[in-house]
């Protein structure tokens, strides 16, 4: 009798083990597929192939949600939002950025890179879509503050903050501050890429925009 009982218990445990490990293996396979979508979508965003990038991020998003991979979920929302804002689908873009912030508030640390990116995306929305330059500046300052709290001083992400603050101040016609931050972005790019790298050229242009705004031709 006891032998039969223990055999039944053993069978139950073995069944549960295989069910749980099978579920884990399937989840791993699914997230690997999602990571493939994400990587391709990210490369398409870099070359401004926005529609295909959105499609692939949108495929990855529900898989990451199901796996409760919240950092990747926030990443997808942020990058779909950025894509949409870049093609002037502003209402949809704003919705996705707001969803990224909700995920950050619910699941991620205060200083997460996903939260920082969401603040930068919100800042760009206010500056370039609603022309609310003060609100845009506030969002970029939030991102900058979190970078200062969580990253080393020479981290390349500061170039992004300096650039965002530069154009916020430029649109507010605060040319002194615009020049300060654009120059910091330029020096950061030179240190990272060199004076003659293609990624440095935009920062020369940004600095020149301030001088043009000041009629210093």
């Amino acid at each position: 009798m006891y032998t039969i009982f223990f055999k039944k218990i053993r069978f139950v445990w073995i069944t549960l083990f295989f069910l749980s490990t099978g579920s884990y293996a399937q989840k791993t396979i699914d997230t690997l597929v999602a990571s493939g979508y994400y990587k391709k979508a990210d490369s398409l965003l870099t070359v401004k192939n926005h529609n295909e990038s959105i499609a692939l991020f949108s495929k990855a998003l529900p898989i990451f949600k199901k796996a409760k991979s919240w950092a990747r979920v926030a990443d997808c929302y942020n990058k779909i939002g950025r894509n949409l804002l870049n093609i002037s689908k502003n209402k949809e873009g704003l919705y996705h950025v707001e969803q990224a912030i909700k995920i950050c508030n619910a699941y991620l640390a205060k200083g997460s890179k996903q939260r920082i990116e969401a603040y930068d995306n919100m800042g760009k929305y206010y500056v370039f879509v609603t022309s609310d330059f003060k609100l845009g500046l506030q969002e970029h300052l939030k991102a900058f503050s979190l970078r200062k709290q969580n990253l080393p001083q020479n981290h390349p992400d500061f170039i992004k903050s300096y650039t965002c603050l530069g154009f916020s101040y430029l649109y507010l016609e605060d040319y002194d501050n615009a020049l300060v931050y654009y120059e910091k972005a330029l020096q950061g790019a030179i240190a990272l890429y060199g004076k003659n790298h293609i990624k440095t050229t935009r920062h020369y242009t940004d600095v020149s925009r301030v001088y043009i705004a000041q009629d210093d031709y």
Side-chain angles (χ1 to χ4, degrees):
M1 180 177 175
Y2 286 109
T3 304
I4 294 170
F5 174 76
F6 284 115
K7 280 183 177 179
K8 286 182 178 179
I9 291 292
R10 184 168 176 269
F11 173 77
V12 170
W13 277 108
I14 290 170
T15 303
L16 288 173
F17 172 78
F18 279 111
L19 284 172
S20 63
T21 54
S23 174
Y24 176 78
Q26 184 59 49
K27 186 182 288 188
T28 302
I29 291 168
D30 289 345
T31 53
L32 283 172
V33 171
S35 295
Y37 292 146
Y38 180 93
K39 187 176 180 180
K40 179 64 175 174
D42 209 24
S43 66
L44 290 168
L45 173 57
T46 302
V47 297
K48 304 185 187 303
N49 190 339
H50 299 299
N51 289 321
E52 288 188 34
S53 179
I54 290 167
L56 287 170
F57 279 128
S58 298
K59 281 186 175 183
L61 179 57
I63 300 173
F64 286 134
K65 268 188 182 178
K66 187 177 179 181
K68 297 182 180 179
S69 182
W70 299 118
R72 277 299 192 218
V73 171
D75 279 331
C76 287
Y77 274 127
N78 263 324
K79 293 188 175 185
I80 292 171
R82 195 195 314 172
N83 270 304
L84 288 165
L85 292 173
N86 284 342
I87 56 175
S88 300
K89 292 188 176 181
N90 300 319
K91 189 175 180 180
E92 294 173 59
L94 177 62
Y95 168 80
H96 281 82
V97 176
E98 287 173 340
Q99 290 303 304
I101 292 173
K102 285 181 182 178
I103 294 295
C104 291
N105 289 339
Y107 301 108
L108 302 181
K110 185 180 178 181
S112 69
K113 68 175 185 177
Q114 291 80 12
R115 184 187 299 275
I116 294 169
E117 184 175 353
Y119 287 151
D120 274 336
N121 285 335
M122 287 296 290
K124 288 176 182 177
Y125 172 81
Y126 286 125
V127 171
F128 295 115
V129 178
T130 69
S131 298
D132 193 331
F133 307 129
K134 288 184 179 179
L135 268 180
L137 177 62
Q138 286 176 22
E139 295 297 317
H140 289 311
L141 285 170
K142 286 181 190 177
F144 183 47
S145 175
L146 288 178
R147 285 190 173 108
K148 286 198 294 184
Q149 291 170 35
N150 294 282
L151 297 175
Q153 274 189 325
N154 61 347
H155 196 282
D157 282 3
F158 278 106
I159 297 172
K160 186 173 184 180
S161 263
Y162 296 145
T163 302
C164 291
L165 290 170
F167 66 65
S168 297
Y169 282 117
L170 179 63
Y171 282 103
L172 283 167
E173 298 181 2
D174 183 344
Y175 301 129
D176 289 342
N177 271 319
L179 190 58
V180 166
Y181 285 107
Y182 273 150
E183 285 280 9
K184 284 185 175 183
L186 174 60
Q187 293 309 312
I190 290 171
L192 187 61
Y193 304 115
K195 289 184 177 181
N196 300 314
H197 196 280
I198 188 68
K199 290 185 178 180
T200 307
T201 57
R202 67 158 292 181
H203 301 289
Y204 290 120
T205 305
D206 286 339
V207 171
S208 73
R209 290 169 66 202
V210 183
Y211 288 125
I212 290 168
Q214 293 174 312
D215 296 331
D216 188 351
Y217 300 114

